[in-house]
């Protein structure tokens, strides 16, 4: 059951809202005992890479697109570091409207670029970073009356709250710590709003501490100033001026959480650890939280025995280049049994 149907009573859907559905949401929440054991916590991972376009973006996109159709939109437009464009392009194709996506040229992972193109979006690569692409997309939306489906679209944030609702429903309780990568800062804000909804409805009695993790080269919420030239291997969160910065600061402050940054090297090590010790392949940006938890543990700042949920925002298959650069290579042999025996060590 997709997000709009599963949560129809809690989302702004009416009789007039088209029932858009790619069976997004209801993603697995997996307990990682080997990694959690080493960190001294009960660690859970929410596999948002299991969404139809391979990232968490589908949760918010389904509502944004349904509402755009309800309002008679002619076309969709967005800027993206890759996943928003993949998601927008998928839903646009599903419902049959044109989609225009603006990407920072040369800085989008291969799988995401392939997705936007194969779904039939018009892909425009700009000579500038995501922050500039977002400004241009907003101007284009206004000039052409296209529906803007970046997270400045309020429906994105509203429907991304479903991730928090699902966590509470599957765990049957609230995590002590919610660990999440932060780029444009919509998702951390949405999760916080989702947890608060559940507390207001009396479905949970406490709230998690929100821990937001950024890449060191793109960490405006850690340094507390915009970063004019963001740079990181985690291209999904290569963002210098987050649109939802204020909401994210509020979430971290009100929850007693914190923002931290991690280096590219720490992100890549965490990606490898998650794959080898957890059996989960997540894209680099999604591994910033694990890198951060490892760092907090080393500093003696990770509460022993805490229940921690980390959001693995995107599938590792989206960025094969980065994975292959650190994962090693196949062992090449001929076709004889002897060679095979030698290789089996
Ligand atoms: N993780 C992944 C895999 C992402 O693609 C993004 C954002 C984030 C984390 C950060 O989420 O922006 O809500 O703080 N990707 C956007 C995009 C910017 O264009 O795909 P956020």
């Amino acid at each position: 059951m997709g997000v709009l149907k599963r949560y129809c009573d809690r989302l702004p859907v009416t009789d007039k809202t088209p029932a858009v559905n790619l069976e997004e949401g209801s993603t697995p929440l997996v307990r990682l005992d080997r990694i959690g054991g080493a960190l001294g916590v009960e660690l859970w991972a929410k596999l948002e890479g299991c969404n139809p376009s391979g990232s968490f973006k589908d949760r918010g996109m389904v509502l944004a697109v349904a509402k755009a159709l309800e309002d008679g939109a002619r076309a969709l437009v967005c800027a993206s570091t890759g996943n928003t464009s993949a998601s927008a392009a998928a839903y646009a194709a599903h419902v049959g409207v044109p989609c225009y996506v603006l990407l920072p040229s040369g800085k989008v992972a291969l799988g995401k670029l392939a997705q936007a193109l194969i779904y039939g979006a018009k892909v425009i690569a700009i000579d500038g970073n995501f922050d500039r692409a977002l400004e241009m997309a907003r101007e284009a939306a206004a000039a052409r009356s296209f529906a803007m489906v970046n997270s400045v679209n309020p429906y994105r944030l509203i429907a991304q709250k479903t991730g928090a609702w699902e966590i509470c429903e599957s765990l049957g309780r609230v995590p002590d710590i919610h660990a999440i990568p932060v780029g444009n800062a919509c998702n951390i804000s949405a999760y916080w709003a989702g947890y608060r909804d559940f507390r207001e409805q009396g479905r949970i009695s406490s709230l998690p501490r929100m821990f937001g993790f950024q890449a060191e080269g793109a960490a405006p919420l850690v340094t507390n100033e915009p970063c004019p030239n963001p740079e990181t291997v985690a291209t999904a969160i290569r963002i210098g001026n987050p649109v939802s910065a204020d909401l994210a600061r509020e979430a971290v402050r009100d929850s007693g959480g914190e923002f931290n940054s991690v280096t590219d090297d720490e992100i890549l090590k965490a990606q490898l650890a998650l794959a080898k010790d957890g059996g989960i392949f997540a894209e680099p940006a999604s591994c910033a939280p694990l890198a951060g938890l490892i760092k907090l543990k080393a500093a003696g700042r990770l509460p022993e025995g805490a229940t921690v949920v980390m959001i693995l925002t995107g599938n590792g298959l989206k960025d094969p280049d980065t994975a292959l650069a650190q994962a090693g290579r196949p062992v090449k042999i001929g076709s004889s049994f002897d060679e095979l025996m030698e290789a089996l060590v």
Side-chain angles (χ1 to χ4, degrees), residues 111-134:
K112 303 174 190 179
L113 186 60
Q115 286 182 287
L117 290 166
I118 196 105
Y119 291 133
K122 170 109 188 222
V123 176
I124 302 162
I126 76 148
D127 183 14
N129 61 26
F130 167 83
D131 304 280
R132 178 62 192 138
L134 186 59

Side-chain angles (χ1 to χ4, degrees), residues 32-101:
L32 298 177
D33 283 335
R34 288 183 65 204
I35 300 174
L39 291 173
V41 298
E42 184 185 310
L43 183 64
W44 296 83
K46 184 133 177 88
L47 307 194
E48 289 292 279
C50 292
N51 276 300
S53 83
S55 86
F56 73 96
K57 303 288 180 179
D58 296 340
R59 285 182 187 282
M61 195 59 70
V62 67
L63 183 62
V65 171
K67 285 295 186 182
L69 292 181
E70 189 178 333
D71 294 343
R74 289 186 299 124
L76 311 180
V77 64
C78 69
S80 183
T81 57
N83 282 323
T84 296
S85 57
S87 183
Y91 284 91
H94 191 66
V95 303
V97 294
C99 179
Y100 299 90
V101 309

Side-chain angles (χ1 to χ4, degrees), residues 157-158 160-165 168 188-199 201 204 207:
L157 192 149
I158 292 171
Q160 281 176 219
K161 296 195 293 185
T162 56
W165 302 343
C168 298
I188 188 171
S189 310
Y191 270 96
W192 178 236
Y195 286 121
R196 275 182 323 173
D197 282 349
F198 259 39
R199 197 184 54 177
Q201 293 159 15
I204 55 174
L207 291 167

Side-chain angles (χ1 to χ4, degrees), residues 63-287:
L63 183 62
V65 171
K67 285 295 186 182
L69 292 181
E70 189 178 333
D71 294 343
R74 289 186 299 124
L76 311 180
V77 64
C78 69
S80 183
T81 57
N83 282 323
T84 296
S85 57
S87 183
Y91 284 91
H94 191 66
V95 303
V97 294
C99 179
Y100 299 90
V101 309
L102 277 69
L103 306 178
S105 183
K107 295 292 183 181
V108 170
L110 192 65
K112 303 174 190 179
L113 186 60
Q115 286 182 287
L117 290 166
I118 196 105
Y119 291 133
K122 170 109 188 222
V123 176
I124 302 162
I126 76 148
D127 183 14
N129 61 26
F130 167 83
D131 304 280
R132 178 62 192 138
L134 186 59
E135 287 167 2
M136 291 169 76
R138 289 172 101 153
E139 286 162 20
R144 293 278 178 92
S145 302
F146 292 164
M148 172 77 179
V149 294
N150 279 103
S151 54
V152 292
N153 180 321
Y155 295 118
R156 286 273 313 278
L157 192 149
I158 292 171
Q160 281 176 219
K161 296 195 293 185
T162 56
W165 302 343
E166 283 178 20
I167 289 172
C168 298
E169 284 168 352
S170 347
L171 262 188
R173 60 198 152 96
V174 187
D176 300 309
I177 293 174
H178 178 99
I180 186 165
V182 178
N184 218 13
C186 174
N187 212 22
I188 188 171
S189 310
Y191 270 96
W192 178 236
Y195 286 121
R196 275 182 323 173
D197 282 349
F198 259 39
R199 197 184 54 177
E200 273 159 31
Q201 293 159 15
R203 298 170 66 112
I204 55 174
S205 54
S206 63
L207 291 167
R209 296 171 68 197
M210 303 298 286
F211 281 38
F213 296 97
Q214 299 205 287
E216 199 172 84
L221 288 162
V222 179
T223 60
N224 254 319
E225 54 191 349
C227 168
N229 296 305
E231 210 47 81
T232 168
V233 70
T235 50
I237 51 172
R238 187 176 168 272
I239 294 174
N241 196 8
V243 160
S244 302
D246 290 342
L247 286 175
R249 283 196 194 97
E250 219 174 276
V252 163
R253 188 194 59 220
D254 294 353
S255 70
E258 49 186 274
F259 288 115
N260 279 294
S261 64
V262 286
T263 65
D264 281 2
D265 194 45
E266 288 165 338
I267 289 173
L268 293 175
K269 283 201 173 103
Q271 185 186 36
L272 208 55
L274 184 64
K276 295 198 165 171
D277 302 332
I280 294 170
F281 183 22
E283 69 168 281
S286 305
C287 301

